[in-house]
Amino acid sequence: MESSSATAGVSTRREATRQKLYEAAVTLIAEQGFSATTVDEIAERAGVAKGTVYYNFASKSVLFEELLRHGVGLLTASLREAAESTARTGGGKVDALDAMIRAGLVFIDRYPAFTQLYVAELWRTNRAWQSTLMVVRQQAVAVVEGVLREGVENGEFSEEIDVPLTASALVGMVLVAALDWQSFQPERSLDDVHAALSRLLQGRVSGRRG
């Protein structure tokens, strides 16, 4: 039991350290770019020794790749929980999509620097982590695809919907709208932005009027 507790303690401390490194890296890279950011700066910002960075990650590139996995993993989990929570309360698929839009906005509001980096990296083609980024992106989009497919199957959505493209469009809509909100319309509240996107969803995806 003592050995198990000690192992759990080490694991918790290491996870806390990795979280510090993720936060330091994402902030610095958002401020000055990947190439200009050094491991020394990441360690200093995280409040750890340089060796701690290499103990947890083989290189700066590996750290950034894991950062992308970690961040998109959090987003994917929040989208999935929003859909599952809606299902538990008896909501329909449009309700699930609406809940996922809000979950996405909440995530972006909480992690704006990560979101900026993620969107920027989607358009780059010369990065070592490009294949990883495509995989984790698809994991997030797949959650939305699942809800759309279920909606088509139960008759809530039209069979004419292009599920993969619609899922990508919904995710992209939330990302771009949220970044625009934070950059150019910061005076607007999260509720206000969600309401606007919700009306768009209700009118364009579900076909509801009113």
Side-chain angles (χ1 to χ4, degrees):
M1 290 292 290
E2 291 181 1
S3 176
S4 177
S5 297
T7 300
V10 170
S11 177
T12 299
R13 286 194 297 275
R14 185 177 186 190
E15 188 54 40
T17 298
R18 289 168 73 92
Q19 184 63 38
K20 284 187 194 177
L21 292 171
Y22 287 143
E23 292 173 359
V26 75
T27 303
L28 285 166
I29 294 170
E31 289 173 356
Q32 57 195 33
F34 177 80
S35 298
T37 300
T38 67
V39 171
D40 287 307
E41 289 173 321
I42 293 172
E44 182 179 359
R45 182 67 67 94
V48 301
K50 182 177 180 179
T52 301
V53 180
Y54 289 114
Y55 175 76
N56 286 275
F57 306 99
S59 66
K60 184 176 72 170
S61 291
V62 171
L63 167 57
F64 191 61
E65 183 173 352
E66 289 302 311
L67 169 63
L68 291 171
R69 285 184 184 275
H70 176 72
V72 180
L74 291 176
L75 173 60
T76 301
S78 67
L79 295 178
R80 183 177 294 112
E81 172 55 29
E84 292 176 350
S85 177
T86 302
R88 287 195 296 269
T89 57
K93 299 309 175 186
V94 173
D95 299 315
L97 291 174
D98 188 52
M100 294 165 85
I101 286 174
R102 185 173 186 85
L105 291 173
V106 169
F107 175 88
I108 294 165
D109 189 45
R110 183 175 181 184
Y111 303 108
F114 172 80
T115 306
Q116 291 169 6
L117 280 180
Y118 170 69
V119 172
E121 290 301 317
L122 283 175
W123 296 101
R124 299 182 189 274
T125 58
N126 60 342
R127 300 296 205 191
W129 50 78
Q130 191 66 26
S131 59
T132 296
L133 183 58
M134 292 302 99
V135 169
V136 295
R137 170 201 167 277
Q138 184 52 39
Q139 289 172 352
V141 174
V143 179
V144 183
E145 286 184 6
V147 172
L148 287 169
R149 286 199 177 92
E150 290 172 1
V152 171
E153 290 171 1
N154 69 19
E156 192 169 348
F157 301 144
S158 168
E159 293 182 357
E160 296 178 358
I161 286 180
D162 184 322
V163 170
L165 188 58
T166 301
S168 295
L170 286 170
V171 172
M173 174 185 75
V174 174
L175 288 172
V176 174
L179 290 178
D180 183 89
W181 158 43
Q182 294 182 336
S183 299
F184 305 112
Q185 305 178 66
E187 72 282 358
R188 301 185 70 165
S189 69
L190 190 151
D191 287 339
D192 189 24
V193 176
H194 174 226
L197 296 185
S198 180
R199 284 191 291 271
L200 183 61
L201 170 73
Q202 300 289 343
R204 300 306 181 196
V205 177
S206 72
R208 295 178 183 173
R209 298 182 181 275

